[in-house]
Amino acid sequence: GQNIDQPTEMTATEGAIVQINCTYQTSGFNGLFWYQQHAGEAPTFLSYNVLDGLEEKGRFSSFLSRSKGYSYLLLKELQMKDSASYLCAVTDSNYQLIWGAGTKLIIKP
Amino acid sequence: ETGVTQTPRHLVMGMTNKKSLKCEQHLGHNAMYWYKQSAKKPLELMFVYNFKEQTENNSVPSRFSPECPNSSHLFLHLHTLQPEDSALYLCASSQDGDRVNEQYFGPGTRLTVT
């Protein structure tokens, strides 16, 4: 079966760094997405990885290891507005997105 | 601004009612999607339309009936729903449905079935 695993909830301090992990087992792989979803709002695109390695975009970075079925999202210099759920999703062989349940990130002052 | 709008934002309906959810995208995309989002569960893909043709139906009960009159509009018709159907229903669009594309989401309709 297809499965995406990520922690349910994480807590971090304003100004710190946090890493959100995602492991996956899917039928085929055509890339991995990270989305951010604030409470009561639409998910919004953060990053896409299809090759191994680290992609950096401002305070956010995303890493992929295809051989390990593993990705992480790294958030630096955390701000209160980063409190949200972070969704990991893998594109399978049929180009459909398989979603994780999301990681709720709580930022404390 | 996402470019994908959904109405209504909130809906409360009884199990015998019939209602419809509407989604509109202003991005010129060719693929549209309906997802169900329940608390602490992964997004569940319900239906996919690519160039107005339904390409995916993930074993969704017949009490949910999609309609895609054109590439910009998507409806979800609801009838005789169950309380367990209460959830956030998200619409999304992407450039194409048969290749890797970023999906753009609407704000969702919060549905409560009483």
Side-chain angles (χ1 to χ4, degrees):
Chain A
Q2 309 207 89
N3 194 50
I4 311 284
D5 283 318
Q6 50 182 134
T8 303
E9 187 174 296
M10 299 181 71
T11 302
T13 305
E14 190 177 15
I17 299 173
V18 71
Q19 177 175 310
I20 303 174
N21 295 325
C22 171
T23 57
Y24 63 88
Q25 289 178 308
T26 56
S27 57
F29 178 84
N30 281 301
L32 185 145
F33 287 86
W34 284 97
Y35 280 77
Q36 179 191 59
Q37 186 178 22
H38 285 100
E41 297 183 13
T44 55
F45 169 80
L46 286 178
S47 67
Y48 171 69
N49 294 68
V50 66
L51 299 176
D52 289 350
L54 187 68
E55 296 275 346
E56 296 186 74
K57 192 185 292 185
R59 294 188 299 115
F60 292 8
S61 302
S62 56
F63 172 83
L64 175 67
S65 169
R66 288 172 296 171
S67 62
K68 295 182 179 179
Y70 167 70
S71 172
Y72 67 73
L73 181 69
L74 190 71
L75 291 74
K76 303 176 184 176
E77 301 169 17
L78 286 170
Q79 302 174 10
M80 297 304 292
K81 67 178 182 179
D82 297 329
S83 292
S85 287
Y86 291 85
L87 312 179
C88 174
V90 172
T91 308
D92 70 7
S93 54
N94 294 320
Y95 298 102
Q96 298 306 326
L97 281 175
I98 311 301
W99 295 84
T103 298
K104 182 178 180 180
L105 178 63
I106 300 167
I107 309 297
K108 295 186 175 179
Chain B
E1 185 108 17
T2 67
V4 181
T5 58
Q6 290 186 243
T7 55
R9 293 294 307 276
H10 300 272
L11 178 62
V12 179
M13 60 186 288
M15 289 189 285
T16 58
N17 290 160
K18 289 184 180 181
K19 296 286 184 182
S20 295
L21 310 184
K22 178 182 176 182
C23 175
E24 184 174 359
Q25 58 96 359
H26 312 273
L27 301 168
H29 288 165
N30 298 309
M32 296 188 77
Y33 310 78
W34 278 118
Y35 286 94
K36 176 183 178 182
Q37 187 175 37
S38 303
K40 298 185 179 180
K41 289 185 177 180
L43 282 171
E44 298 175 47
L45 179 64
M46 300 175 72
F47 301 104
V48 181
Y49 279 83
N50 198 28
F51 292 92
K52 300 187 299 178
E53 297 296 320
Q54 189 179 124
T55 59
E56 192 79 24
N57 175 340
N58 273 355
S59 303
V60 180
S62 59
R63 57 186 184 269
F64 295 91
S65 174
E67 178 190 358
C68 187
N70 55 61
S71 292
S72 299
H73 294 85
L74 186 64
F75 295 89
L76 188 63
H77 304 299
L78 316 171
H79 64 98
T80 59
L81 294 191
Q82 304 298 311
E84 60 264 30
D85 297 323
S86 297
L88 181 68
Y89 288 84
L90 289 165
C91 173
S93 71
S94 68
Q95 187 60 53
D96 297 295
D98 56 357
R99 62 191 65 192
V100 179
N101 292 133
E102 173 188 345
Q103 292 185 13
Y104 293 78
F105 286 82
T109 295
R110 174 67 63 187
L111 174 67
T112 304
V113 181
T114 60

